[in-house]
Amino acid sequence: MSDSRWSVANLQPKIENFLRPVLRAAQLSLDFQVGDGSAMDPNFEQPDVTVQFHGRDLDLLLANKGELLLALEQLTLEALRARPDEHTRLMFDAQDYRLLRLEELRLSAETAAERVKRTGVPFKFNPMTSRERRIIHLALRGDKGVRTESEGLAPRRQVVIHPAAKGSS
């Protein structure tokens, strides 16, 4: 995914010029560092650029499943005029929340898949973001005993794990 538009050198000043006034206006005691995405698990996430937050208001940033963190990420993507297919190229994180969430989703997917294979009954996850749904799909892509699909419309879109069709391989 090497594209100079999505380099740290290109995006850092744009991200700083957008986020600093937003954080100041919101009176949030947060700072951030813009870096490359090399610390992520390449099987699930491969952002070109990450923004790592720190500061006194991290609890607010990560409350309600990281709702504010994700909102700031979305607003920044909009400010950068990122197309939907480019949204995975930038990722916000704090205290490894996103890495831990990735692992939680992967383990949940594997546990749900085992249940579906054992019972033959489809399993529906609660609604989640497109990025989180993608992690579920990727976590189970090699499991021949189940198949996954997304159902519904955003923001209520969810992943359903089904038993694999008989005779499919």
Side-chain angles (χ1 to χ4, degrees):
M1 280 198 193
S2 67
D3 174 349
S4 64
R5 178 169 182 243
W6 291 98
S7 69
V8 172
N10 185 45
L11 288 183
Q12 183 169 356
K14 294 174 184 177
I15 291 169
E16 288 178 355
N17 289 338
F18 176 74
L19 271 183
R20 291 212 189 281
V22 169
L23 295 174
R24 193 170 30 257
Q27 298 180 356
L28 290 169
S29 181
L30 292 169
D31 202 4
F32 59 90
Q33 292 179 298
V34 180
D36 69 36
S38 61
M40 294 304 297
D41 183 335
N43 293 316
F44 294 97
E45 293 276 5
Q46 292 181 297
D48 295 283
V49 177
T50 59
V51 178
Q52 293 288 333
F53 287 88
H54 52 277
R56 281 196 325 257
D57 288 334
L58 279 182
D59 289 345
L60 292 172
L61 189 67
L62 298 177
N64 298 321
K65 296 184 180 181
E67 189 173 53
L68 181 56
L69 177 76
L70 297 175
L72 287 172
E73 179 183 87
Q74 184 63 39
L75 288 172
T76 303
L77 286 164
E78 294 295 326
L80 294 172
R81 294 186 173 99
R83 298 184 318 264
D85 64 314
E86 296 175 320
H87 285 196
T88 58
R89 299 187 83 163
L90 174 69
M91 188 179 77
F92 284 20
D93 201 1
Q95 296 180 329
D96 290 332
Y97 171 81
R98 298 291 284 274
L99 286 171
L100 295 170
R101 179 70 176 147
L102 188 151
E103 184 63 14
E104 177 186 6
L105 289 168
R106 189 186 65 73
L107 290 171
S108 294
E110 290 173 0
T111 301
E114 289 305 315
R115 179 176 161 185
V116 168
K117 288 187 277 189
R118 189 178 68 252
T119 66
V121 176
F123 179 89
K124 277 189 181 186
F125 282 92
N126 288 328
M128 56 183 71
T129 66
S130 60
R131 226 178 195 163
E132 289 184 337
R133 289 192 313 273
R134 180 177 180 272
I135 291 166
I136 301 290
H137 292 300
L138 289 174
L140 298 177
R141 70 179 170 227
D143 190 329
K144 302 293 185 206
V146 296
R147 64 181 175 80
T148 62
E149 61 183 46
S150 290
E151 292 181 353
L153 300 172
R156 305 288 310 153
R157 198 154 168 80
Q158 58 196 134
V159 175
V160 180
I161 302 175
H162 297 275
K166 299 267 191 264
S168 67
S169 54

